[in-house]
Amino acid sequence: MHCPVCGRDHIGEAGPLLASLPDVFAPCDACRGTNLDKAAPLPPGFEPRGPCACGRQFIDDVFAAIYLILLDEGALAGTEPLRAAGVPVTNPGFAMAAPPHLPEDALVLLSPHPDRAAAERIVEEVPAVQGVVRTVPATPGIGPDGGAAAHALLAGCDVQANVFSTSYGDIVVYKELSRMHIEFPRPFNPKIRSVEREIDRHAPRLFIDACCGAGTLGLAAALAGTPVVVFNDAYGPAAFWTAFNIAVNRDALLVERLSLPPRDLPVSRSDPVVVAEAEGDQRLIVYQGDFARLPPLVPGIDRSLAALDLFGKEDRAACDAALAQWRKSGGGKAFIP
């Protein structure tokens, strides 16, 4: 599949990617790595080990190489701990039992430090790095002013896959790290388990992932066999990547035909509209718009179950108000995972 961001053919369907997981970051017999203290600066004169003959490089050595480029470019002073260089996000991301040995294009760096020149050097000189994103304090998505907030992709590509486990198999979720909220996979995902538990209790014919992000919870509901799944988000990149991820996981779902929306959808606070749809023995529909306005637009809402995966779940009053508004507008059963 061609990447919507860089155009390269580095995105795969779920099946082959899942089959690669046992070996994708495994060292060969000749691989060696240097374990470094992430809470301390690099030792004076330290030289990271380069990639092994197999092409893999231990993650601490990769990060040391990144740190040295940032130091050389003046983005770091050398007194900062290694972990200050940024956040390394592996591609693919999944729950690992050991630190990875990274092949080429297997890591996206999220960091507030680099400028474009430093970022381009990192991508060019460190084979394991696929892309460099300069972060800002805001979380990517819809900002407080109602507009879109995002980090900046400076070099390479920031499309990354995460693997989430469900009781019915694994799902693969791609997203742009500069424009999407990051959720790191864990061995146990409480939100996915909450979805499965509520589906077992209510056996809905229709499941609604009302604030879907990249589509993880709705895909888990679809994998559980729910006949109709509706996804919705006001944020354009979320709606796009949800549709894309339906295509990526299509072989594990009961769908055949699929349409994709434009990648540059703006934020929409109006009535939700259908932007993508997949049909077969299951029906998966992607809406974009204000989730509170969704219930009157969805056929079969009386047999539905909705997950409202809201930001700011610590604000119980706001969550209770969202649930009350959903039910008032005809949305039926709903829960906050």
Side-chain angles (χ1 to χ4, degrees):
M1 301 173 70
H2 292 296
C3 174
V5 172
C6 69
R8 292 187 296 128
D9 196 20
H10 70 101
I11 291 180
E13 294 189 1
L17 187 148
L18 293 173
S20 75
L21 296 185
D23 302 316
V24 65
F25 296 144
C28 75
D29 291 341
C31 278
R32 299 291 182 270
T34 308
N35 287 297
L36 295 168
D37 183 356
K38 285 70 166 178
L42 280 181
F46 178 82
E47 290 291 335
R49 293 175 183 265
C52 174
C54 73
R56 292 178 171 86
Q57 187 176 16
F58 187 58
I59 188 168
D60 284 17
D61 290 303
V62 171
F63 223 59
I66 292 169
Y67 186 99
L68 288 172
I69 291 173
L70 293 174
L71 182 62
D72 189 51
E73 290 288 329
L76 292 177
T79 56
E80 301 90 346
L82 180 62
R83 65 188 176 201
V87 177
V89 182
T90 61
N91 184 25
F94 57 98
M96 302 178 209
H101 291 252
L102 300 171
E104 186 175 347
D105 290 341
L107 183 141
V108 178
L109 175 69
L110 307 182
S111 174
H113 302 299
D115 58 14
R116 191 169 298 278
E120 290 174 349
R121 274 193 64 188
I122 290 169
V123 170
E124 181 179 349
E125 297 177 21
V126 187
V129 178
Q130 172 187 302
V132 176
V133 172
R134 184 173 60 211
T135 57
V136 297
T139 300
I142 300 176
D145 61 354
H151 302 316
L153 174 63
L154 297 183
C157 182
D158 64 338
V159 174
Q160 179 254 3
N162 280 320
V163 178
F164 295 98
S165 295
T166 83
S167 299
Y168 303 91
D170 293 336
I171 52 178
V172 176
V173 177
Y174 283 93
K175 61 180 65 173
E176 287 173 82
L177 297 184
S178 60
R179 301 209 295 168
M180 297 287 291
H181 172 68
I182 298 172
E183 188 170 9
F184 293 101
R186 294 173 286 173
F188 175 82
N189 187 302
K191 291 198 289 188
I192 289 176
R193 294 297 177 262
S194 175
V195 166
E196 293 174 341
R197 185 168 57 250
E198 294 298 320
I199 287 176
D200 286 344
R201 285 180 58 196
H202 299 288
R205 177 167 179 76
L206 166 64
F207 182 88
I208 301 173
D209 188 355
C211 310
C212 64
T216 304
L217 300 186
L219 286 169
L223 201 60
T226 308
V228 182
V229 178
V230 165
F231 304 79
N232 178 79
D233 207 292
Y235 187 47
F240 171 82
W241 285 103
T242 291
F244 194 92
N245 288 323
I246 293 171
V248 165
N249 292 276
R250 182 168 46 188
D251 287 349
L253 306 173
L254 302 176
V255 296
E256 299 166 1
R257 299 171 299 280
L258 176 69
S259 61
L260 289 177
R263 180 171 159 256
D264 56 353
L265 292 170
V267 172
S268 173
R269 287 297 194 183
S270 58
D271 288 349
V273 296
V274 175
V275 296
E277 191 167 358
E279 295 185 82
D281 291 337
Q282 284 179 303
R283 191 175 181 210
L284 310 184
I285 311 165
V286 183
Y287 285 80
Q288 189 202 4
D290 182 354
F291 79 90
R293 303 185 186 187
L294 183 63
L297 306 176
V298 178
I301 195 77
D302 56 318
R303 298 184 60 189
S304 71
L305 171 67
L308 309 186
D309 188 15
L310 306 169
F311 284 119
K313 292 186 179 67
E314 66 280 357
D315 187 344
R316 293 298 301 272
C319 290
D320 290 344
L323 286 170
Q325 176 61 37
W326 179 264
R327 295 176 182 125
K328 181 179 178 181
S329 59
K333 298 183 183 72
F335 69 102
I336 295 178

